[in-house]
Amino acid sequence: MLEASGLMVFYENMLALNNVALRCGEDEIVGVFGANSAGKSTLMYALSGIMLDVEKKERMAGGERITLAGEVRYRGRDIMNLKASKRARLGIVLCPERRRLFKESTVLENLKIGAYLATAAQAKETLAYVFKIFPALEKLKTRLSGFLSGGEQQMLAIGRALMAQPKILLLDEPLLGLSPLMQAMLMRAVREIRDERRIAIIVTEQYARPVMPIVDYAFILENGSAVLEGVRDDLMDNPDVKAAYFGV
Amino acid sequence: MAVAQRRRERIDRGIKVRTDGFYALMSWRELGYLTLPRFLLIAGLLALPFLMPSMYWQRVISIVCIYAFLALSFDFLAHFVGLVSLGGAFFVGIGGYMSAVLNTELGLAPMLAIPAATLLGAGVCTLLLLPCLPLRGVYFAIVTLMYPLFAARTIEALDILGGTDGIMGIDSFPGPWIEQYFVIGMLLLAIFGLRRLVNTDFGLVLQAVKDNDQAVRASAMNVTRFKAIAVFIGSAMGCLGGACLVHIYMWAGISQFALDFSVLPIAATVIGGAGTLVGPVLGCLILVPASEMLREFGTLRIVFYSLILVGFIVFRSDGLMVWARRKYHQFERWTEI
């Protein structure tokens, strides 16, 4: 469904992504694991097209020169030069790291803003669905999103991404700073979303334990390169992976 | 696998790396590499009065320097303290009136009145801006925009300080050369002084205030005090410009509170490169003479002027100085990925 090959990103002369190949099939949950600065967020930016925007901003402001190379294919179509907004229209929706909610809007407004690409009927149906999988949000409908707790904010961020009617959802570190209980709950919800909405999902995380049970296939990034990949059970048995990403 | 692609990389010049530490200087070449840009600036500014000997252009040079004070002050406050000040006109007006009063009422010679007006004026500006210091971003900008209007209308309505006629009969500088070299000298002092200041521990705290004032507060530092000192320094430069201005025109009036003094320095900062301190001065050196040369076009002047500005913002929004600095320190080459 979404396929990247030879993906390279340079920040000035620093290599942030080195020849990364990644693929995600229909209805699959793919995990991407790596430590800080391994290139997870850069990968998500490159897949969602935000990188093009960052590159342009840096160029205009005379900052770092960012170079992108390689190929990103979506259902066989090369989308490497497609803007982030166009990619979102195709159904590639990013739920960014640190949530990036519209802090001064209420929960309901955030969700409605997310539904910009949806028809009225879709929006209504998805809104009901978001409140079904995240019942906590319904009670907070009129609260400003900036005042929600971390877990509630993350639920809202995922909900907002869902409102855009994604075909493939990119979740960038959705568990950042959440309690283990909240992490488990979110991961159950993510699996439910995949099962019920038939959405492919790519999820990045530093610590693999809470995410591993729900993924079908996983990649491990180290210093910008995809050093290991495999189906879940293979990776779980790999001693190196156990040591580095499960804390065993 | 994608076909072989190329990218353009930027590499620091060897000489830049070698001269990064002062103690590593090995040759005249390296010494020259470090001092050349500074030398060019100093020599260029000092040579200007000789290169433009006509009365008219000498006056323009003085005005350039006065705008440069304001641009420096704006750049310092906006990019090193985080206070976007639109109060350039306020500083000029206060400094100007202060020097005019000191000169006409107390009979101080211009060379005494100007430094006195600079310090007193900066004190007055700081005191008046003190209540606004907790404001940030656009709120501070709006409030400082109101100050010059407030001052001008007060003088007009109460008919104090000469009212709409202004204060006349102010002594001029002892001579045109002294006038020019005084403002140029003070400008060079301000540039290099600020450059030093922002790299001291005090300057670092100011930059921290800009980045995250809550973190500075949490480090047990009084943010308002630091901001007040910064405003004193910034407004002192504006007041110095204003004080010089009234002695050049031999007249102080409410047009010293005109919006030009607030807006043109900002435009110069955008063109020259924000946060570089030297950039805004270069911006003034381009903008003020350009605006003089465009005078022939009459009212179309503003159109051309705006086009220049828009062009710069759209195509070179990093500013001249940032661009020039990169070209000086780095070279580019194509590499295969």
Side-chain angles (χ1 to χ4, degrees):
Chain A
M1 187 178 193
L2 190 70
E3 215 177 322
S5 60
L7 203 56
M8 302 191 94
V9 176
F10 290 85
Y11 293 119
E12 205 67 68
N13 298 331
M14 193 196 83
L15 188 53
L17 275 189
N18 185 4
N19 208 359
V20 170
L22 175 142
R23 50 162 299 286
C24 174
E26 305 270 351
D27 308 335
E28 242 183 7
I29 299 183
V30 169
V32 177
F33 304 111
N36 284 327
S37 82
K40 299 184 303 293
S41 292
T42 305
L43 176 67
M44 291 309 227
Y45 283 166
L47 292 179
S48 63
I50 304 283
M51 210 49 170
L52 298 178
D53 201 52
V54 176
E55 190 270 336
K56 188 178 169 201
K57 272 194 188 128
E58 284 290 313
R59 180 155 39 85
M60 295 292 288
E64 280 185 326
R65 176 179 285 162
I66 297 173
T67 318
L68 273 157
E71 243 188 356
V72 180
R73 294 188 157 279
Y74 175 69
R75 292 187 166 154
R77 177 180 170 196
D78 184 10
I79 55 164
M80 193 61 189
N81 296 317
L82 224 53
K83 277 195 278 182
S85 55
K86 292 269 169 58
R87 292 192 203 190
R89 269 172 209 278
L90 288 180
I92 306 172
V93 176
L94 173 73
C95 174
E97 191 183 354
R98 290 174 208 285
R99 306 165 192 119
R100 307 284 176 93
L101 294 174
F102 305 115
K103 287 205 170 83
E104 306 198 347
S105 301
T106 64
V107 169
L108 195 61
E109 283 165 348
N110 264 278
L111 292 172
K112 281 184 174 164
I113 297 167
Y116 175 73
L117 291 171
T119 62
Q122 281 174 332
K124 203 173 157 209
E125 188 268 332
T126 316
L127 190 66
Y129 180 72
V130 169
F131 286 150
K132 193 191 118 217
I133 49 168
F134 300 126
L137 286 184
E138 185 153 26
K139 285 180 226 122
L140 302 166
K141 255 201 276 196
T142 52
R143 285 268 290 279
L144 289 188
S145 62
F147 291 114
L148 300 182
S149 74
E152 290 158 354
Q153 286 194 12
Q154 189 61 52
M155 288 191 253
L156 179 54
I158 294 177
R160 185 184 59 181
L162 280 180
M163 295 298 281
Q165 312 299 317
K167 307 269 190 320
I168 176 162
L169 184 61
L170 309 177
L171 296 176
D172 199 356
E173 299 214 15
L175 304 184
L176 195 73
L178 302 185
S179 72
L181 215 61
M182 185 57 89
Q183 291 183 345
M185 177 269 172
L186 268 177
M187 284 300 105
R188 273 199 304 277
V190 168
R191 179 154 55 184
E192 224 168 277
I193 290 168
R194 190 272 308 265
D195 292 342
E196 290 169 14
R197 312 286 290 188
R198 318 307 297 170
I199 295 173
I201 295 170
I202 300 182
V203 47
T204 71
E205 199 52 54
Q206 296 195 25
Y207 187 52
R209 190 186 284 280
V211 187
M212 213 42 145
I214 70 160
V215 303
D216 302 306
Y217 200 84
F219 295 83
I220 290 181
L221 286 185
E222 250 170 47
N223 290 327
S225 314
V227 288
L228 258 178
E229 61 178 282
V231 291
R232 177 184 59 203
D233 297 335
D234 287 355
L235 280 181
M236 297 235 314
D237 293 337
N238 185 319
D240 292 340
V241 176
K242 265 189 185 159
Y245 301 98
F246 286 91
V248 177
Chain B
M1 180 59 213
V3 286
Q5 279 167 299
R6 295 194 305 164
R7 76 183 180 92
R8 211 155 155 69
E9 65 176 354
R10 292 181 184 138
I11 311 264
D12 281 359
R13 290 180 202 281
I15 193 163
K16 194 237 166 200
V17 180
R18 286 200 300 280
T19 51
D20 258 355
F22 260 119
Y23 39 81
L25 294 184
M26 301 284 280
S27 65
W28 285 108
R29 208 169 101 82
E30 291 175 6
L31 198 66
Y33 179 82
L34 274 185
T35 46
L36 182 71
R38 291 151 180 93
F39 175 77
L40 272 181
L41 177 75
I42 297 172
L45 278 178
L46 290 179
L48 265 184
F50 286 101
L51 298 175
M52 305 267 190
S54 77
M55 271 295 283
Y56 175 71
W57 282 105
Q58 289 195 340
R59 177 57 51 85
V60 172
I61 292 168
S62 304
I63 304 298
V64 166
C65 289
I66 284 160
Y67 275 112
F69 282 126
L70 291 167
L72 264 179
S73 148
F74 174 80
D75 196 28
F76 171 66
L77 286 179
H79 300 108
F80 292 93
V81 198
L83 295 169
V84 180
S85 150
L86 297 178
F90 185 61
F91 303 154
V92 167
I94 295 287
Y97 270 98
M98 195 70 81
S99 194
V101 168
L102 288 176
N103 182 247
T104 52
E105 304 287 327
L106 301 180
L108 282 183
M111 296 315 250
L112 283 175
I114 290 173
T118 303
L119 293 179
L120 281 175
V124 171
C125 291
T126 313
L127 274 182
L128 289 175
L129 283 172
L130 214 49
C132 319
L133 286 184
L135 300 176
R136 263 184 300 175
V138 73
Y139 300 102
F140 187 77
I142 292 170
V143 168
T144 47
L145 186 64
M146 300 327 287
Y147 270 87
L149 301 176
F150 171 80
R153 296 301 152 239
T154 309
I155 290 172
E156 195 181 332
L158 301 182
D159 206 17
I160 46 171
L161 297 169
T164 44
D165 293 336
I167 302 174
M168 278 169 284
I170 301 170
D171 293 337
S172 71
F173 281 93
W177 293 101
I178 295 178
E179 167 196 317
Q180 292 187 44
Y181 278 107
F182 180 73
V183 286
I184 290 176
M186 292 310 276
L187 180 62
L188 286 172
L189 208 67
I191 297 172
F192 288 103
L194 275 184
R195 182 83 269 161
R196 287 221 154 190
L197 180 80
V198 296
N199 287 326
T200 58
D201 287 358
F202 176 74
L204 293 182
V205 175
L206 291 184
Q207 290 181 53
V209 169
K210 180 198 163 200
D211 283 343
N212 190 336
D213 57 347
Q214 282 176 349
V216 175
R217 242 176 233 124
S219 312
M221 283 178 271
N222 185 346
V223 171
T224 310
R225 199 179 127 245
F226 278 97
K227 279 186 179 175
I229 298 173
V231 166
F232 183 83
I233 296 166
S235 56
M237 275 182 299
C239 290
L240 176 62
C244 293
L245 193 71
V246 296
H247 289 288
I248 291 170
Y249 282 148
M250 294 184 273
W251 173 76
I254 47 178
S255 67
Q256 250 113 45
F257 289 109
L259 210 56
D260 296 30
F261 292 112
S262 299
V263 175
L264 197 135
I266 300 175
T269 307
V270 169
I271 286 184
T276 58
L277 292 180
V278 185
V281 175
L282 286 185
C284 286
L285 274 168
I286 295 170
L287 271 188
V288 179
S291 118
E292 290 299 324
M293 279 188 266
L294 288 172
R295 246 175 229 291
E296 294 170 29
F297 294 101
T299 31
L300 270 182
R301 184 167 82 115
I302 301 298
V303 175
F304 287 114
Y305 200 68
S306 314
L307 281 180
I308 294 176
L309 269 182
V310 171
F312 259 103
I313 290 171
V314 173
F315 297 109
R316 264 269 82 82
S317 55
D318 49 346
L320 280 179
M321 206 45 216
V322 177
W323 178 82
R325 190 183 277 172
R326 203 166 54 224
K327 290 286 163 206
Y328 192 66
H329 287 318
Q330 297 182 311
F331 67 94
E332 302 198 355
R333 66 178 182 204
W334 287 100
T335 47
E336 302 261 308
I337 297 180

